[in-house]
Amino acid sequence: MKVWKLAVLLGSALMFAAPASALDLTKKRQNLPDLVLGNEDGNDFVVENKDIELEAGKAYRLRIIAKGHQEYKFYAPEFFRNIWFNQIVIEHKEIHGGGPPDHLEFDDPGEIAVEFVAIKPGDYKWYAQGLESKGMTGTISVK
């Protein structure tokens, strides 16, 4: 048997011998502190946990929660382009896709959970479009 065929066979055997959990990073995801927009006390422009730190190569779940009564259009374009999305969950309904969303929008109070793997290190800005001057911005840092 030629050496390259043997290498391919051995590599394939090793890949299939690995436990499934080792191949699926999302099973060991870390739940991040909730990023909360507004509060129940009537302050629509307060943000809880506006700056988030992550580590490249690890899986995470970020819940973005709107408690205020504004229309929040959550944008994080560079961040969304530099992560691998597992799923977006809204009211126990899952969205799977091949690419990043343009933005996440809250017309009413509610929650959107984003499950992903951080891929590319960098400092990424997020903002609630039109509300930046009211402090509705933050940073997601991937180390």
Side-chain angles (χ1 to χ4, degrees):
M1 184 177 285
K2 294 188 177 188
V3 174
W4 67 270
K5 285 184 180 179
L6 182 61
V8 169
L9 286 174
L10 285 174
S12 297
L14 287 173
M15 183 175 76
F16 290 113
S21 61
L23 298 175
D24 189 356
L25 288 172
T26 61
K27 292 191 184 298
K28 294 188 178 195
R29 72 174 180 262
Q30 177 183 344
N31 290 321
L32 296 167
D34 298 341
L35 193 157
V36 183
L37 308 172
N39 65 26
E40 293 153 341
D41 296 330
N43 186 342
D44 289 345
F45 307 111
V46 68
V47 179
E48 186 178 324
N49 298 317
K50 64 173 24 185
D51 297 313
I52 298 168
E53 287 196 15
L54 310 173
E55 192 173 324
K58 291 194 175 182
Y60 296 96
R61 179 186 198 208
L62 174 63
R63 292 181 345 145
I64 304 165
I65 301 172
K67 289 189 176 180
H69 295 284
Q70 296 291 312
E71 179 180 71
Y72 300 109
K73 293 181 181 179
F74 183 89
Y75 280 84
E78 292 298 315
F79 177 70
F80 286 165
R81 281 193 289 271
N82 288 293
I83 62 175
W84 174 81
F85 278 93
N86 179 39
Q87 64 185 1
I88 297 171
V89 182
I90 304 168
E91 294 181 4
H92 304 286
K93 294 165 186 73
E94 300 174 2
I95 300 168
H96 298 268
D102 180 60
H103 67 281
L104 307 174
E105 186 171 332
F106 297 86
D107 292 330
D108 295 307
E111 171 188 321
I112 298 174
V114 181
E115 296 180 14
F116 62 92
V117 175
I119 302 295
K120 185 177 177 186
D123 292 324
Y124 305 103
K125 300 292 181 196
W126 70 262
Y127 58 94
Q129 186 180 53
L131 303 174
E132 299 94 318
S133 65
K134 297 191 181 288
M136 304 293 291
T137 65
T139 304
I140 302 171
S141 299
V142 179
K143 306 294 179 204

